[in-house]
Amino acid sequence: MLQCHFCGAPVTLHEPIPREGECEKCRRDLHSCRNCRHFDPRYARSCREPMAEPVDDVERRNFCDYFSFSRAPFAAVAADEARRADARARLESLFKKKLDGSP
C-alpha cells in the first residue's frame, strides 16, 4: 500500500503517479522528492539517485524522470522538526550571548 509521506494517508492513485497528483487528505503533491524511493536527506540534494537533476524544493511536484513512489512505511517528521527547532534555539542563544557581551 502506498502512503503519503507528508501525512500518512493511503494513496489511491495507481503508478505511475501523475505529476499533478495530490494527496486526498493533506492536498500535498504526490510526485515530489519526499514521496520518492530515492529520497534521503542524508545525501547531497536529498537524493540517492546520482543521475537525477537537482530539485529546488523537495516537497513540491517536479519533473524528475527517476521518480518512483516509496514503499517505505510513513514516518512522522516531528522528531526531525524538533531537532531543527532545538538547533535553531541553541544557535540563536549563542549569538544573543555574543551580542549582549555575556560569556
Side-chain angles (χ1 to χ4, degrees):
M1 174 177 87
L2 302 179
Q3 289 180 292
C4 172
H5 286 268
F6 291 104
C7 70
V11 174
T12 58
L13 297 174
H14 297 285
E15 289 197 275
I17 301 294
R19 182 178 179 274
E20 62 280 345
E22 289 183 345
C23 174
E24 293 175 5
K25 182 178 177 188
C26 69
R27 310 312 283 174
R28 303 289 296 265
D29 296 322
L30 291 175
H31 194 291
S32 66
C33 296
R34 186 165 298 274
N35 284 317
C36 182
R37 71 181 179 98
H38 299 294
F39 178 73
D40 190 338
R42 298 173 298 176
Y43 280 68
R45 300 172 307 162
S46 298
C47 187
R48 290 189 311 255
E49 173 52 59
M51 300 298 290
E53 296 285 327
V55 173
D56 291 331
D57 189 347
V58 298
E59 296 188 357
R60 305 229 18 225
R61 68 183 69 166
N62 59 58
F63 289 102
C64 182
D65 292 331
Y66 297 98
F67 177 83
S68 176
F69 210 93
S70 175
R71 264 83 175 149
F74 170 71
V77 293
D80 227 15
E81 295 299 324
R83 192 174 68 221
R84 280 190 204 128
D86 181 52
R88 184 174 292 118
R90 286 187 286 154
L91 186 63
E92 287 172 356
S93 71
L94 175 69
F95 282 104
K96 184 177 187 236
K97 287 179 185 176
K98 290 200 180 218
L99 291 175
D100 292 342
S102 52

